């Protein structure tokens, strides 16, 4: 890849220093808006992203490039119901009128400049939040999202802590509280951690509980782990950069939900995370036995216990 127009330098921050107090109070607890300088790096222009996308496709790791047809997508649509784009080689060039949603995952593996920015961002987030992210970090990734004008990304949840940075165009991001169990019941989270990425169900009657953030170039929003959200693109091509990372405390909570999924399948009524310290410790300890000691993928980090637990049953059915 070509060198960026500018790169993070030692001691510099990609965030506005004025956001320090908000970071410390809200990180991983509630969503908040912040300012950033990613557009100034020159890394995320459409020509450069097109070059990066082609390099990713050429590498053979086609799982890192996803393109879906979102023209008819609604907030309650499911990702699996949306058609895949077939002409991947010119997806970026066709963005203005194709109704496409493009996701480039783990771009830091293909571009050293993106890797440097990701590393600098994690340092910044650690410094501003006061949370020792590096010691608990289990997985980190930079993802690029490109979207055609006017499309919507359906309502969903994610395991990891996330920051979404707008670089070009505009969009609305609506975030809901991850702690609202009427909006996001424990059973939906349990199904999510059993491997159903579409387990969270959009409830239009509870839309008023969401907070809509209006993003333009130089603005970003923080997504706490499991915070439900949807996205509506503006009337121009959108380029966004997502930085997501998994942390040991998030995995421990996931193990409780996974144990509860199993217990519920046995006809029991388990208590949710945080309601019994002893119960959480036992559930985490049991499920952690099934973790991969050297995880290589996001799936390994988050879902390995359930995948390993279900493996014998898949063999029997096979």
């Amino acid at each position: 890849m070509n060198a960026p127009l500018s790169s993070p330098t030692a001691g510099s921050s990609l965030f506005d220093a004025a956001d320090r107090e908000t970071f410390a109070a809200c990180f991983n607890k509630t969503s908040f808006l912040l300012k950033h300088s990613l557009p100034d790096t020159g890394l995320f222009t459409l020509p450069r992203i097109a070059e990066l996308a082609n390099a990713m496709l050429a590498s053979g790791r086609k799982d890192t490039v996803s393109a879906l047809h979102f023209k008819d997508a609604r907030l309650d649509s499911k990702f699996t119901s949306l058609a895949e784009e077939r002409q991947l080689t010119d997806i970026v060039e066709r963005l203005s009128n194709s109704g496409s949603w493009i996701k480039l995952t783990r771009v830091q593996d293909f571009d050293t400049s993106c890797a440097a920015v990701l590393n600098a961002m994690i340092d910044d987030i650690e410094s501003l939040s006061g949370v020792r992210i590096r010691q608990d970090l289990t997985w980190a990734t930079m993802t690029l999202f490109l979207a055609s004008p006017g499309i919507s990304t359906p309502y969903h949840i994610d395991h990891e802590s996330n920051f979404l940075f707008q670089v070009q165009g505009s969009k609305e991001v609506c975030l809901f509280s991850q702690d609202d169990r009427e909006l996001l019941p424990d059973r939906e989270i349990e199904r999510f951690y059993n491997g159903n990425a579409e387990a969270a169900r959009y409830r239009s009657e509870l839309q008023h509980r969401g907070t809509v953030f209006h993003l333009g170039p130089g603005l970003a929003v923080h997504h706490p782990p499991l915070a439900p959200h949807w996205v509506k693109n503006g009337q121009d091509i959108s380029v966004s950069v997502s930085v997501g990372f998994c942390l040991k405390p998030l995995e421990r909570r996931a193990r409780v939900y996974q144990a509860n999924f199993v217990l519920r399948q046995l006809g029991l009524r388990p208590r949710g995370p945080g309601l019994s310290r002893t119960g959480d410790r036992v559930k985490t300890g049991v499920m952690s036995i099934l973790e991969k000691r050297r995880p290589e993928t996001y799936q390994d980090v988050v879902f390995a216990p359930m995948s390993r637990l279900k493996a014998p049953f898949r063999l029997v059915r096979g």
Side-chain angles (χ1 to χ4, degrees):
M1 293 294 299
N2 297 327
L5 299 180
S6 60
S7 307
T9 56
S12 67
S13 176
L14 292 160
F15 297 96
D16 190 322
D19 292 321
R20 181 177 295 275
E21 188 174 325
T22 301
F23 252 93
C26 301
F27 176 69
N28 274 359
K29 298 173 185 175
T30 186
S31 52
F32 61 92
L33 198 69
L34 58 151
K35 297 178 182 178
H36 66 91
S37 58
L38 278 188
D40 300 334
T41 66
L43 277 172
F44 306 106
T45 63
L46 284 175
R48 199 174 191 283
I49 293 173
E51 182 183 353
L52 176 59
N54 287 329
M56 293 170 74
L57 288 169
S59 73
R61 288 177 56 185
K62 294 185 178 176
D63 60 312
T64 61
V65 180
S66 175
L68 299 176
H69 190 67
F70 266 43
K71 206 157 193 176
D72 300 319
R74 304 184 310 275
L75 299 185
D76 60 351
S77 295
K78 300 300 183 184
F79 283 88
T80 51
S81 69
L82 302 170
E84 291 187 10
E85 293 282 6
R86 296 185 179 182
Q87 297 174 290
L88 292 181
T89 55
D90 62 347
I91 47 177
V92 176
E93 288 81 356
R94 296 185 292 108
L95 264 178
S96 61
N97 56 18
S98 63
S100 300
W101 176 86
I102 302 167
K103 179 181 179 182
L104 306 181
T105 306
R106 293 201 62 78
V107 295
Q108 74 272 16
D109 293 348
F110 301 88
D111 187 311
T112 56
S113 295
C114 288
V117 170
L118 174 60
N119 193 55
M121 280 184 171
I122 293 174
D123 286 342
D124 285 347
I125 293 167
E126 182 171 72
S127 174
L128 290 165
S129 67
V131 176
R132 294 183 177 179
I133 292 174
R134 291 286 184 186
Q135 73 175 18
D136 283 331
L137 190 67
T138 56
W139 186 254
T141 188
M142 177 183 285
T143 301
L144 303 188
F145 290 103
L146 291 83
S148 296
I151 66 171
S152 297
T153 303
Y155 175 93
H156 64 285
I157 60 175
D158 299 304
H159 164 77
E160 64 271 24
S161 180
N162 182 273
F163 288 84
L164 183 68
F165 303 85
Q166 193 67 15
V167 177
Q168 177 179 326
S170 64
K171 62 177 48 170
E172 292 182 342
V173 181
C174 183
L175 282 138
F176 300 82
S177 171
Q178 70 274 23
D179 298 320
D180 187 337
R181 288 295 161 263
E182 182 181 7
L183 177 82
L184 182 65
D186 277 335
R187 291 193 181 197
E188 290 185 6
I189 303 175
E190 291 165 15
R191 289 196 291 271
F192 171 80
Y193 280 121
N194 185 48
N196 181 358
E198 299 175 334
R201 184 170 66 85
Y202 179 65
R203 294 167 169 81
S204 58
E205 69 275 14
L206 299 179
Q207 172 56 49
H208 63 280
R209 297 186 185 180
T211 300
V212 177
F213 296 88
H214 300 272
L215 298 188
L219 292 177
V221 66
H222 172 50
H223 297 200
L226 293 180
H229 56 282
W230 55 253
V231 181
K232 286 184 179 179
N233 199 30
Q235 297 309 305
D236 298 301
I237 292 173
S238 170
V239 177
S240 304
V241 177
S242 170
V243 169
F245 44 89
C246 302
L247 302 168
K248 291 176 184 176
L250 305 183
E251 273 78 89
R252 287 195 289 270
R253 182 175 66 178
R255 302 299 171 250
V256 177
Y257 278 119
Q258 289 167 334
N260 285 354
F261 179 86
V262 175
L263 292 172
R264 210 177 291 278
Q265 297 301 109
L266 297 174
L268 302 177
R269 300 176 65 181
R271 302 178 74 182
L275 298 178
S276 170
R277 184 175 298 181
T278 300
D280 287 356
R281 189 182 303 118
V282 171
K283 293 171 186 176
T284 299
V286 171
M287 296 305 294
S288 294
I289 295 171
L290 297 170
E291 292 179 344
K292 286 195 173 182
R293 296 308 166 206
R294 293 182 177 83
E296 297 179 356
T297 67
Y298 171 83
Q299 296 292 324
D300 288 347
V301 171
V302 182
F303 300 109
M306 295 306 290
S307 296
R308 287 179 158 182
L309 192 62
K310 292 184 284 187
F313 299 98
R314 285 197 295 268
L315 288 175
V316 170
R317 287 198 301 267

